[in-house]
Amino acid sequence: PYDAGFLLVREEKALLETFATPAAYLKREARGMAAGSPWPCDLGPDLSRGFRALKTWFTLKTYGVARMGRMIEKSCALARHLEARVRAEAQLELLAPAQLNIVCFGYRGGDNAAIVADLQESGIAAPSLTRIGGRSVIRACFINHRSEIADVDAMVAAVLAFGRQRALAA
């Protein structure tokens, strides 16, 4: 999810010394709602802002560490599959290899921005655009746990088809 994040720490004392705030309105009491420590605000800089780690914590509590690990590995495997497909197609060029779940590539000599819009409007895939070396390139980031190899293959086929259509129209 967007706006989610967390940090694992080995030394709780160091974390508390870093973020604990001695403001009068955060004074600890022996009893009542202000009793007990540490408070969530002692664990990060958020205070009145959003608690970003909560989304990640709920996700981990709901699915478990092992299942989350499998989902992350699957996303990385889909990226590696896309990288292999791009390398195998003469009309496509790999512009940033899959290091985790993201692959940046392009249609050789094509208008990648238009191809991305075609993909999005067709409903086949929803990659984004980024810039590498001053060029607009297709950025595929795998984050949906329901994505499959067939979805990657459909996206590659569509990039090739939209690229050819645009080349013929030019």
Side-chain angles (χ1 to χ4, degrees), residues 26-44:
L26 296 175
K27 184 176 179 280
R28 293 351 181 226
E29 300 293 342
R31 300 182 52 224
M33 289 176 53
S37 190
W39 289 3
C41 64
D42 291 339
L43 304 175

Side-chain angles (χ1 to χ4, degrees), residues 4-6 51-60:
F6 65 96
F51 180 18
R52 297 172 67 200
L54 186 62
K55 294 178 214 176
T56 305
W57 182 84
F58 273 121
T59 302
L60 286 170

Side-chain angles (χ1 to χ4, degrees), residues 1 56 58-75:
T56 305
F58 273 121
T59 302
L60 286 170
K61 288 300 277 183
T62 300
Y63 297 110
V65 173
R67 187 170 175 197
M68 286 297 298
R70 288 191 304 272
M71 286 188 248
I72 292 168
E73 177 52 40
K74 179 182 173 188
S75 294

Side-chain angles (χ1 to χ4, degrees), residues 13 32 62 67 84 104 108 124 129 140 146 156 166:
K13 183 177 183 276
T62 300
R67 187 170 175 197
C104 294
R108 291 185 193 277
I124 293 169
L129 278 175
R146 291 179 287 243
V156 170
R166 292 191 166 280

